[in-house]
Amino acid sequence: MSGLEVHHFGQQWVKELDSFTNVSGKGEVNATEYISKVYNYKYTLKPNFQIYEVRENSPAAKAGLLAGDIIIKINNKSSHNYTIQKITELFQSEEGKKIKILVERDGKLLEFEFYLEKIL
C-alpha cells in the first residue's frame, strides 16, 4: 500500500540509556545541598534499513521517496527500533494510514509524508 520495498543496509552503533542514579551531597564552598544524576549508557549494534525499490505512481513515489534513501525514522520512531517484518507490516497495514518518514539522502535529512492506499 506504500509502494516501498525495504531491505537491511548494514548496522550502526546506537547509544542507549542503560541506567541512572541520583547523587546528593553538600558543596564544599558554601555547604549548599545538591542533587545530580549520573547516567550510564551502553552501545548496541542495531540494523539500518534502506529503500530498495519505489513502485511507480505509488503513494511513496508521489511523496518523493527514492530507491537508495536510508530510513532514519518512521512515524517519529527510530528505524533501528523496528524489524524488517514490522516495517513491511506497517507499510501494508491499513488504507488511509498516515506515514511520516525521515530519510537520509546524499548526506541530508529529508522528511516525507504520505497515506497508504490500495495500489492494485
Side-chain angles (χ1 to χ4, degrees):
M1 286 207 249
S2 66
L4 292 176
E5 295 287 333
V6 176
H7 68 156
H8 284 279
F9 186 68
Q11 295 182 322
Q12 63 180 322
W13 285 104
V14 176
K15 181 179 177 181
E16 297 178 311
L17 180 62
D18 189 33
S19 64
F20 71 90
T21 53
N22 290 318
V23 178
S24 61
K26 290 190 179 225
E28 293 180 21
V29 176
N30 57 8
T32 58
E33 290 189 27
Y34 67 87
I35 297 176
S36 63
K37 294 184 187 282
V38 175
Y39 295 93
N40 296 306
Y41 294 94
K42 64 180 179 178
Y43 290 86
T44 309
L45 271 175
K46 300 281 187 165
N48 278 336
F49 300 101
Q50 183 182 45
I51 297 173
Y52 176 72
E53 185 178 344
V54 182
R55 184 178 294 155
E56 193 176 323
N57 295 318
S58 67
K62 291 174 188 173
L65 289 159
L66 300 174
D69 288 345
I70 299 169
I71 301 172
I72 306 299
K73 288 186 177 186
I74 303 170
N75 293 340
N76 296 318
K77 184 177 175 183
S78 294
S79 63
H80 62 258
N81 291 319
Y82 288 96
T83 62
I84 193 78
Q85 292 84 6
K86 290 291 182 188
I87 291 174
T88 302
E89 287 173 16
L90 178 65
F91 288 163
Q92 297 175 2
S93 58
E94 62 184 87
E95 188 169 20
K97 182 174 181 72
K98 182 179 181 180
I99 302 291
K100 287 176 62 175
I101 186 166
L102 178 70
V103 299
E104 181 182 328
R105 182 187 299 161
D106 299 325
K108 296 178 185 162
L109 294 178
L110 304 170
E111 191 170 53
F112 298 92
E113 209 173 90
F114 60 89
Y115 293 88
L116 298 179
E117 60 184 63
K118 291 183 181 178
I119 298 172
L120 299 177

